[in-house]
Amino acid sequence: MKRRDFFKTAAVVGVATVGSSAFGSNVAMREPIDSRTPQKINFPEKRPMITHSNRPPLLEAPRSTFSQVITPNDEFFVRWHLPDIPTFIDTDKYAIRITGNVAKPYELTLKELKEDFEQIEVTAVVQCGGNSRSAFVPITGGVQWGSGAMGCAKWKGVRLKDVLKRAGMKEGSHWVNFNGMEKPAYDKTPDFVRELNLDELNEDVMIAYQMNDEDLPYLNGFPTRLIVPGYYSDSWVKMIKDIVVTKDHTPLFFMDQAYRIAANATHGETPDHLAKMTKPITRMNIKSFIGFPDEGAEVEFQSQLVVRGVAFDGGIGIEKVLISLDNGKTWKEAMLGIDYGRYAYRAFRYSFRPNEKGNLSIMAKAIDHLGQEQPLAKDVPWDRGGYMFNGIDIVTIKIV
Amino acid sequence: MKKLLLILAFCTAMFAQVTKAVEVPYISYEIKMGKGFDEVNANCLMCHSFGYITNQGPQSRAFWKGKVDKMITHFKAPIAKGDAEIIVNYLAKHYGNGK
């Protein structure tokens, strides 16, 4: 999608979600599941996380991770699709193949990647398109994530454009395919290959080899992964093996069947009236999440409580974050932390003294520079894949 | 020359964290016993853990039939017709919501 179109559609979404109630009587969106806790199991280079699967690994970060503006590598969520993932990569032999509709196909070693191109850094959020999927009722396809399938890191690498330039793209090139080293257990199962249109490749799209000043953790795609700032993580291919330039769109399961939403302005549909036209999910919508306190936490009456969390979107930038302590009747502005760029988390914090005992619900709502804001969970449009949930987060604590 | 050596040392250090094969822990996701378990065990572990199944929560028979069909049509799971039916019955019984 071109940038201009993006702003157009985004603006429409903002308006349409306000006060929408009629998605059909059987749709009842809710807050995502928040009751799961990390298992006492360490995956390589990770601390214990919520473990949906070990094979392929599906690891989710708990709420407390999101009181930090940079997600530590060992708390960063993990999401693979296919079970055969190399457990060792010889970095001297590792190379990315760049082929297809190019004049000079070549193999790019890690050393060349680090020495032959301009090295750049970007701080960017990566979020699974299905993050918070457990908010969708009726249930939709895919892993029932809570809200921890996201993270924000400082990525270091080189521009994809520079890497493609060396190969000399031939006339008529429109698409680029990315294949990582993960493989299906059964050779007839579709491989996880993703495709981007050349129009989508701006200066920010990169091949990264470092995350928060360390090598990428193995489970986050060591030794290289694609960074597509602003986009959902299905495009952030890990352990890159092949980059193929093509003239035409390649039929691909994980582009043509999975990771798609209704191609209408709200991207909403109902189980009884599924949209006929769909399109790939691309840019993230505005979202915020409270990292502290935890759901159900006990807080002392009249003590100083500092609510902390993160807010982000697909690149427009966070204007403000509002907090409500009275179920959305009134909203007060939270303080924003340092701006690490338009693709990064913006930390927020809100300090107050609870002056009434009993249950207290804390709500957080982010607003972007264009004035678009997060809807209430119940107003987020339902879609069959359970993508792009961005409902207002609510944490209920007990004042004792 | 001194500078070059420094850079080399730096590179080695960076890779030190993955110098031999990492080991992804094995987790045996608890799954209910009952009629059809053998078929589930034989057909549903090839491509992913049982975590994928239990993570879905209790769902309707139609949901589980849809999932088994999806495994066969989209992911090419080699599951015999008879087994597919037994598996749907098992899932509807042990991971069902009564619908």
Side-chain angles (χ1 to χ4, degrees):
Chain A
M1 196 171 12
K2 297 220 181 70
R3 252 189 97 65
R4 225 177 321 119
D5 299 343
F6 158 60
F7 281 117
K8 238 191 298 175
T9 6
V12 176
V13 173
V15 176
T17 49
V18 175
S20 50
S21 57
F23 292 123
S25 50
N26 53 351
V27 170
M29 300 290 293
R30 60 178 182 191
E31 291 286 313
I33 293 177
D34 190 22
S35 54
R36 300 181 179 122
T37 48
Q39 269 100 324
K40 292 190 183 69
I41 296 166
N42 282 18
F43 278 68
E45 300 163 277
K46 296 285 165 187
R47 66 177 71 188
M49 295 180 72
I50 299 164
T51 308
H52 295 280
S53 169
N54 62 321
R55 180 177 169 273
L58 303 175
L59 311 182
E60 179 179 339
R63 184 179 282 280
S64 58
T65 292
F66 305 101
S67 57
Q68 312 159 86
V69 69
I70 296 294
T71 313
N73 289 4
D74 64 351
E75 292 178 54
F76 218 95
F77 83 102
V78 171
R79 203 285 183 241
W80 295 81
H81 299 76
L82 305 171
D84 272 357
I85 307 165
T87 52
F88 179 70
I89 289 164
D90 183 342
T91 47
D92 292 332
K93 297 205 183 101
Y94 170 83
I96 303 171
R97 283 190 295 256
I98 295 112
T99 58
N101 195 42
V102 296
K104 294 166 285 175
Y106 71 107
E107 293 206 348
L108 176 61
T109 65
L110 215 46
K111 189 167 178 292
E112 287 164 339
L113 191 78
K114 293 178 181 186
E115 291 175 3
D116 295 1
F117 301 92
E118 186 188 342
Q119 309 292 301
I120 59 168
E121 284 186 347
V122 65
T123 302
V125 175
V126 55
Q127 178 187 207
C128 175
N131 190 24
S132 311
R133 183 177 282 126
S134 55
F136 289 76
V137 181
I139 187 174
T140 66
V143 180
Q144 298 301 302
W145 297 103
S147 297
M150 60 177 190
C152 177
K154 184 178 76 176
W155 310 93
K156 182 175 182 184
V158 308
R159 282 185 200 95
L160 177 63
K161 270 195 165 164
D162 294 346
V163 168
L164 290 176
K165 202 165 169 194
R166 180 185 275 194
M169 280 190 286
K170 290 203 268 196
E171 214 159 295
S173 299
H174 291 296
W175 301 92
V176 199
N177 291 342
F178 302 88
N179 195 359
M181 293 167 85
E182 59 173 328
K183 281 201 297 260
Y186 185 53
D187 60 5
K188 293 201 177 67
T189 304
D191 203 356
F192 186 76
V193 181
R194 295 283 305 177
E195 183 181 65
L196 288 174
N197 193 285
L198 284 180
D199 283 350
E200 295 170 289
L201 301 188
N202 55 28
E203 297 289 305
D204 302 319
V205 178
M206 64 192 266
I207 298 174
Y209 55 85
Q210 259 180 37
M211 175 174 172
N212 297 331
D213 301 315
E214 292 173 1
D215 287 347
L216 293 171
Y218 161 83
L219 290 176
N220 293 105
F222 180 83
T224 64
R225 89 179 286 179
L226 194 66
I227 305 300
V228 192
Y231 270 39
Y232 287 102
S233 63
D234 44 297
S235 296
W236 297 47
V237 173
K238 298 180 287 296
M239 276 187 194
I240 306 173
K241 182 180 69 177
D242 273 299
I243 299 179
V244 185
V245 177
T246 64
K247 289 183 174 172
D248 301 312
H249 164 70
T250 312
L252 296 165
F253 175 82
F254 286 98
M255 290 301 305
D256 304 335
Q257 315 278 337
Y259 293 117
R260 296 180 76 86
I261 43 158
N264 57 41
T266 63
H267 70 75
E269 55 186 350
T270 69
D272 308 330
H273 296 280
L274 294 178
K276 286 204 182 68
M277 299 276 284
T278 60
K279 61 181 181 189
I281 56 169
T282 51
R283 225 166 253 285
M284 298 188 288
N285 52 14
I286 186 164
K287 191 165 182 174
S288 66
F289 195 64
I290 296 166
F292 182 85
D294 254 323
E295 176 74 22
E298 290 193 352
V299 174
E300 206 172 312
F301 174 65
Q302 283 188 340
S303 63
Q304 174 105 20
L305 176 61
V306 182
V307 177
R308 286 178 187 273
V310 292
F312 64 99
D313 68 7
I316 297 167
I318 299 302
E319 180 76 19
K320 53 186 163 190
V321 174
L322 302 178
I323 301 290
S324 177
L325 303 174
D326 55 9
N327 303 311
K329 281 190 222 70
T330 59
W331 295 88
K332 297 219 179 75
E333 217 169 315
M335 273 174 72
L336 296 185
I338 293 172
D339 187 350
Y340 288 98
R342 63 198 184 104
Y343 298 117
Y345 279 155
R346 197 74 194 267
F348 66 84
R349 64 181 195 274
Y350 182 80
S351 173
F352 72 104
R353 286 177 195 276
N355 53 15
E356 220 176 298
K357 290 193 180 174
N359 282 350
L360 175 68
S361 289
I362 305 167
M363 301 168 79
K365 169 168 81 173
I367 303 178
D368 71 15
H369 293 319
L370 301 178
Q372 303 177 86
E373 57 181 59
Q374 290 179 260
L376 287 166
K378 70 175 176 63
D379 295 327
V380 173
W382 185 92
D383 68 83
R384 75 194 86 165
Y387 296 121
M388 299 180 73
F389 176 86
N390 69 336
I392 289 172
D393 186 28
I394 306 176
V395 165
T396 302
I397 58 171
K398 202 167 178 184
I399 310 302
V400 291
Chain B
M1 194 57 210
K2 208 172 176 186
K3 198 170 156 207
L4 188 71
L5 278 176
L6 268 178
I7 292 170
L8 280 175
F10 187 61
C11 286
T12 335
M14 297 302 292
F15 289 130
Q17 56 195 57
V18 184
T19 50
K20 49 179 190 274
V22 298
E23 214 171 304
V24 176
Y26 171 75
I27 300 176
S28 110
Y29 283 87
E30 222 174 282
I31 186 142
K32 290 177 188 150
M33 291 294 144
K35 189 165 175 282
F37 168 77
D38 288 344
E39 284 76 3
V40 171
N41 207 29
N43 287 295
C44 304
L45 272 182
M46 180 185 190
C47 308
H48 50 69
S49 69
F50 285 150
Y52 271 74
I53 297 176
T54 54
N55 159 280
Q56 305 287 297
Q59 300 298 338
S60 68
R61 168 176 291 272
F63 173 89
W64 288 119
K65 177 158 187 339
K67 285 301 165 200
V68 175
D69 286 349
K70 178 181 178 183
M71 298 307 127
I72 296 168
T73 48
H74 287 312
F75 300 132
K76 313 293 172 203
I79 302 175
K81 258 236 164 71
D83 278 1
E85 219 177 291
I86 295 169
I87 292 167
V88 173
N89 286 337
Y90 164 91
L91 292 167
K93 174 153 187 230
H94 297 285
Y95 294 92
N97 61 4
K99 281 183 214 146

